Amino acid sequence: MADSPIAASFEELAATVPATIGIAMASPDQSEPYALGRWSSGVAWSTIKVPLAIAALRRDHPRARDLVVKAITESDNRASEQLWSLLGDPAHAAQQVQAVVHESGDTATLVESRRLRPGYTAFGQTEWTLARQARFAARLPYIGGAATVIDLMHHLTSGQRWGLAAKGAAAKGGWGPGVDGDYLVRQFGVIPTESGYWGVALAAQAQAFDTGVDVINRITDWLVGHLPALAEL
């Protein structure tokens, strides 16, 4: 894969954008996702709200329902914190969100229960690799209770519809500042193909949010153009 035309094409893209980028793709029955680019792992930011929403709906559907709408379609942090609180104390909340992630076959990702950075959610600081996130996305349609959340991922508010979401995929983005003056923008989504659902995870580490979104849009355009070839790998 590293020496393939697909990899070479992605390297050409990486050389033209003002960010460090990465992409991973996985099918539900794939043991190892395809991963390209120099960026491979970092904090989840708001992408972790997808398994959080599923866990909260399982725990208390009536109280979680309206909060989940805001957490997914608007990426509302206050609603997300309320969902987190529905799951109990931070340690137990993390265990329940982690259990949802583990149902995708990813037993290595550990959901963060501690508020590591003042002003930011604990769960948003979860370390989540692109490869594991792509695997989660690929398995998401088969995870119990995920259908409501996937539907909401198709109906993001206008400010959230970039990258995969702008192409009609069920998607969720996440973004936030690093500790060294950079800015991470990432997104994952579920893409239907002839061979079944594929999970895709993208990331751009740039100097500003808008720059990161622009780069995610370019990665998405590259993905759409190479999807038939990628599906055959």
Side-chain angles (χ1 to χ4, degrees), residues 127-150:
E127 287 282 332
W128 207 358
T129 70
L130 284 181
R132 293 173 189 162
Q133 191 171 70
R135 181 182 291 118
F136 174 78
R139 292 296 306 167
L140 185 59
Y142 309 97
I143 291 176
T148 295
V149 178
I150 293 173

Side-chain angles (χ1 to χ4, degrees), residues 46-51 128 130 133-134 136-138 140 153 162 164-165 169-174 186-190 199-202:
S46 289
T47 61
I48 199 68
K49 291 173 182 175
V50 172
W128 207 358
L130 284 181
Q133 191 171 70
F136 174 78
L140 185 59
M153 291 166 69
W162 37 265
L164 299 168
K172 181 70 189 79
R186 59 188 301 178
Q187 186 185 62
F188 78 86
V190 182
V200 179
L202 320 170

Side-chain angles (χ1 to χ4, degrees), residues 30 128 150 154 166 203 210 226:
Q30 190 175 24
W128 207 358
I150 293 173
H154 277 292
D210 289 344
H226 291 82

Side-chain angles (χ1 to χ4, degrees), residues 188-212:
F188 78 86
V190 182
I191 299 178
T193 73
E194 291 183 359
S195 58
Y197 290 104
W198 282 73
V200 179
L202 320 170
Q205 188 170 339
Q207 291 302 307
F209 171 70
D210 289 344
T211 303

